[in-house]
Amino acid sequence: MSDTEGIDQYGVLLYYKYAHIPNLDDLLSFYHSNCSQLSLLGRVRLSSRGVNVTVGGKLSCLESHIEALKAKDCVFEGTDFKLATCDEPLNDRVAEECGFTSLSIRIVEELVTLSSHPLLKSPEISNAGRHLSASEFHSSLQNADQKSQGNGLVLLDARNLYETRIGKFHAPNVETLDPQVRQYSDLSSWIDDNSEQLKGKHVLMYCTGGIRCEMASAYIKSKGAGFENVFQLFGGIQRYLEQFPDGGFFKGKNFVFDHRISVGSSDSNVLGTCLICRRSFDDYSSRCRCTYCRMLVLVCHNCQNEAALYVCELCQKQGKAIQSMQLIGTGLMNNVPDVRSSRKLRILCLHGFRQNASSFKGRTSSLAKRLKKIAEFVFVDAPHELSFIYQTTLAKDENCKKKFAWLVAPNSDGSTDVNWKVAEGPFDPLQYQQQTEGYDTSLSHLKNVFSQQGSFDGILGFSQGAAMAALISAQQEQLKGEMDFKFVIICSGFSLNVKEMERGIIKCPSLHIFGNEHGKDRQIANQASKELTSLYDDGCSVIIEHDCGHIIPTRSPYIDEIKGFLGRFL
């Protein structure tokens, strides 16, 4: 690139500095004069305690602004100036959304508003959590990854819900706390309500660029004994991604408050999902907002053509989506479709032993048809490929497709011979009891499915797939961040005598479907399925016993009970 091209490039500059400003009026005059002279547009917030700035303009002008600041006042010594090249705002609407159509310079009480209500005692910024460089932050997570319990380490995301939906840190063995707040001013209330989760822990905080962690970490430390070990990522996610361009422990995209909207790493995984159809999607460029609270929501391009009214997940939890349904039903909101009625549950389906995704899709076609208005099924093959076998009394099916398993026998050599083999003996209906190996491989496989295909509301497993789903549900808390789901459906399930099932009562919401004592299921005995259901909390499990054999029943009253269970999660 030539020098001329570099001068003409557009850029965005972000920085903040907490420091005592001795002459606020003088600094205000400087910003008005300097930014106007350099044709910079954006937001400048000044207070007696520091500055918070996001401006855009020609790269050379932004660099001149930085040099002028350094020359003017030693207050800006050590300031982390985050300067990035990018394209100019696409159009006036995008520029207006981001505040880049004018220069807004204001004197404010607080650079960022920690609380929407007066605090009994405002935290001192001098008591903020210790800064960790990107490499130090990374090393802390890396070292915790090598310890079984993370050594009392917790990650605390100080950002808003819509930001965390497209990207967040995740490290094995480290608990991640996502407050799921609508705005930063709600964070202090969350800290008050959840202080026990932070007490006595080493708290690693992070946000986009660092400023939100300054006050929030000071607020946590102000709570006294047990809250001393609070640390924050210096320079925020932005500096971390510069240090670790492959993403490191950060998954997805970093939301930014300018026309770029988000900045990603070389890791192309999509964490976000469309509010309506639940498909993988992480693009906020359309700027869709909740009709009630105006929070940004993810709505894919296809669904934007189908709905004009969007209700964010927080408003849905507050019952506001139901309110909109009533308004529509009474005709008070004509031509405004209901979001909840168009949303479908996304369910990952795990086939049985010696099956595959294709065959299981065929076997569940009737169920999918009955649930098509409320659920979408996604089918995947298990990772353990099996050899072809046949009984001597039966002919070989040369057109047979590959068969897979989630769990295999301990003596399995893992080979997948393409040639047909004669079965070693007659079919053993209890063979599933010996298939206890291969869980780690299958779990890793499913983590990749979640990463590549987006989140799922629930997991449905059949027979051995049900055993796999049960194992996963027993680890629901440990898998948060990598495999987020709300419920499991266990069809003809059974429990395995493995360590993963020895974690106490399973509290994951569950629907258990299996044959009764006279149910004609010759594969999985009624008692085996009952033993599995006994491992789940009675308060969040539903049991459906049927007389239809080794299948998932779709006739009444069974299908009505299945719909009733799923209705809880719509």
Side-chain angles (χ1 to χ4, degrees):
M1 177 180 292
S2 68
D3 291 342
T4 303
E5 287 176 317
I7 292 173
D8 289 340
Q9 274 192 294
Y10 188 89
V12 172
L13 173 64
L14 300 88
Y15 64 93
Y16 72 91
K17 181 72 174 183
Y18 274 105
H20 174 64
I21 306 298
N23 192 331
L24 196 55
D25 289 334
D26 178 61
L27 189 60
L28 177 65
S29 297
F30 165 81
Y31 271 102
H32 272 298
S33 173
N34 181 267
C35 293
S36 298
Q37 181 183 356
L38 296 172
S39 300
L40 303 183
L41 303 176
R43 299 180 298 273
V44 177
R45 298 295 178 257
L46 310 175
S47 84
S48 59
R49 304 171 73 182
V51 303
N52 184 17
V53 178
T54 301
V55 289
K58 297 300 182 184
L59 196 61
S60 59
C61 295
L62 294 170
E63 291 170 341
S64 296
H65 174 71
I66 294 172
E67 292 306 313
L69 282 170
K70 291 178 178 179
K72 173 181 171 48
D73 203 322
C74 62
V75 162
F76 293 96
E77 184 177 343
T79 300
D80 181 23
F81 293 102
K82 303 178 185 70
L83 180 59
T85 59
C86 60
D87 295 326
E88 294 189 54
L90 186 63
N91 52 49
D92 291 342
R93 185 182 70 84
V94 172
E96 185 175 359
E97 276 268 353
C98 304
F100 275 22
T101 55
S102 62
L103 178 63
S104 171
I105 304 176
R106 284 166 40 192
I107 294 177
V108 295
E109 283 292 322
E110 298 177 286
L111 296 181
V112 288
T113 305
L114 177 63
S115 177
S116 56
H117 54 82
L119 296 172
L120 294 177
K121 181 183 179 183
S122 295
E124 294 295 330
I125 195 64
S126 58
N127 193 38
R130 183 166 75 84
H131 287 173
L132 296 180
S133 67
S135 58
E136 289 174 328
F137 192 88
H138 184 85
S139 294
S140 297
L141 297 179
Q142 199 167 41
N143 293 336
D145 183 20
Q146 299 167 4
K147 301 173 183 178
S148 59
Q149 298 301 322
N151 198 27
L153 195 70
V154 295
L155 271 168
L156 176 57
D157 197 324
R159 301 172 302 153
N160 303 322
L161 173 68
Y162 57 88
E163 299 170 72
T164 68
R165 283 296 176 260
I166 64 171
K168 62 180 70 177
F169 276 99
H170 173 76
N173 295 323
V174 178
E175 182 182 9
T176 300
L177 300 177
D178 181 359
Q180 298 189 10
V181 293
R182 212 178 247 109
Q183 54 199 6
Y184 180 68
S185 57
D186 296 332
L187 184 59
S188 60
S189 295
W190 182 92
I191 292 171
D192 292 338
D193 296 339
N194 296 272
S195 58
E196 286 304 309
Q197 296 187 64
L198 305 173
K199 191 173 184 179
K201 301 290 183 66
H202 283 70
V203 182
L204 263 62
M205 300 185 67
Y206 67 92
C207 60
T208 307
I211 189 169
R212 286 179 283 183
C213 287
E214 300 283 4
M215 288 300 291
S217 63
Y219 185 69
I220 294 173
K221 291 183 69 178
S222 72
K223 292 186 173 293
F227 299 92
E228 303 90 350
N229 296 310
V230 183
F231 307 86
Q232 55 179 310
L233 175 58
F234 181 68
I237 301 166
Q238 181 167 340
R239 288 299 188 212
Y240 182 89
L241 291 179
E242 290 174 3
Q243 184 82 21
F244 301 94
D246 65 346
F249 288 105
F250 187 81
K251 312 300 178 186
K253 292 179 178 178
N254 180 28
F255 184 95
V256 292
F257 292 89
D258 56 61
H259 65 280
R260 294 174 297 170
I261 302 172
S262 64
V263 178
S265 64
S266 58
D267 180 4
S268 60
N269 287 335
V270 176
L271 264 63
T273 56
C274 172
L275 176 73
I276 310 298
C277 69
R278 310 302 296 172
R279 294 186 184 278
S280 297
F281 187 74
D282 64 1
D283 183 6
Y284 279 116
S285 62
S286 60
R287 298 278 172 176
C288 295
R289 293 183 180 274
C290 174
T291 192
Y292 292 102
C293 69
R294 305 305 296 163
M295 185 174 75
L296 285 171
V297 292
L298 287 168
V299 182
C300 72
H301 303 302
N302 289 335
C303 291
Q304 286 174 35
N305 297 326
E306 298 173 7
L309 171 65
Y310 309 117
V311 183
C312 74
E313 55 190 283
L314 294 181
C315 284
Q316 288 188 34
K317 288 178 181 178
Q318 296 170 353
K320 292 183 179 179
I322 296 174
Q323 195 175 63
S324 69
M325 287 177 67
Q326 294 170 342
L327 289 169
I328 294 166
T330 57
L332 297 178
M333 291 182 69
N334 294 328
N335 302 318
V336 182
D338 170 48
V339 173
R340 286 168 64 99
S341 64
S342 61
R343 182 188 179 279
K344 291 184 180 182
L345 296 172
R346 201 158 181 257
I347 302 175
L348 180 64
C349 300
L350 312 183
H351 60 72
F353 180 74
R354 202 170 282 284
Q355 292 183 353
N356 55 44
S358 178
S359 64
F360 191 43
K361 183 177 182 179
R363 294 187 64 169
T364 56
S365 60
S366 177
L367 179 68
K369 185 176 181 179
R370 295 293 189 96
L371 301 177
K372 66 180 181 180
K373 291 184 178 180
I374 61 172
E376 172 198 2
F377 289 168
V378 177
F379 299 83
V380 293
D381 290 322
H384 301 286
E385 187 176 343
L386 303 175
S387 300
F388 293 125
I389 63 171
Y390 71 103
Q391 300 285 343
T392 53
T393 56
L394 299 173
K396 294 183 290 186
D397 181 4
E398 300 295 349
N399 297 317
C400 187
K401 294 182 179 180
K402 292 179 178 180
K403 308 293 185 181
F404 302 92
W406 300 103
L407 303 162
V408 293
N411 60 357
S412 173
D413 59 7
S415 64
T416 55
D417 196 333
V418 295
N419 296 318
W420 283 85
K421 295 180 179 179
V422 178
E424 296 178 354
F427 171 74
D428 179 8
L430 300 179
Q431 63 176 331
Y432 64 87
Q433 296 177 351
Q434 283 75 49
Q435 293 156 356
T436 57
E437 299 291 321
Y439 171 70
D440 289 341
T441 299
S442 292
L443 181 62
S444 177
H445 174 66
L446 289 176
K447 285 180 180 179
N448 287 332
V449 171
F450 270 73
S451 174
Q452 295 170 10
Q453 299 193 36
S455 62
F456 294 90
D457 294 286
I459 302 174
L460 180 152
F462 178 74
S463 198
Q464 191 190 77
M468 184 67 196
L471 287 167
I472 294 169
S473 67
Q475 295 184 277
Q476 186 181 28
E477 287 299 316
Q478 292 81 1
L479 293 171
K480 278 186 175 178
E482 289 184 288
M483 294 177 65
D484 292 324
F485 57 93
K486 303 171 186 173
F487 61 86
V488 290
I489 302 176
I490 309 293
C491 306
S492 297
F494 56 88
S495 179
L496 292 170
N497 186 23
V498 293
K499 67 179 186 300
E500 286 79 8
M501 297 300 289
E502 299 172 358
R503 300 174 180 266
I505 295 297
I506 303 173
K507 297 186 179 295
C508 176
S510 56
L511 172 62
H512 301 263
I513 306 172
F514 55 90
N516 58 30
E517 292 183 3
H518 309 290
K520 304 174 186 177
D521 189 334
R522 294 181 296 176
Q523 306 283 333
I524 308 299
N526 169 264
Q527 189 58 35
S529 294
K530 282 187 173 179
E531 288 174 1
L532 176 59
T533 62
S534 69
L535 301 178
Y536 286 78
D537 188 330
D538 289 339
C540 57
S541 63
V542 175
I543 298 173
I544 299 176
E545 292 190 62
H546 60 85
D547 58 357
C548 304
H550 194 57
I551 66 168
I552 305 174
T554 57
R555 60 179 173 83
S556 293
Y558 309 122
I559 192 63
D560 300 315
E561 294 178 82
I562 295 172
K563 288 180 178 178
F565 174 82
L566 294 177
R568 301 180 184 180
F569 306 96
L570 286 170

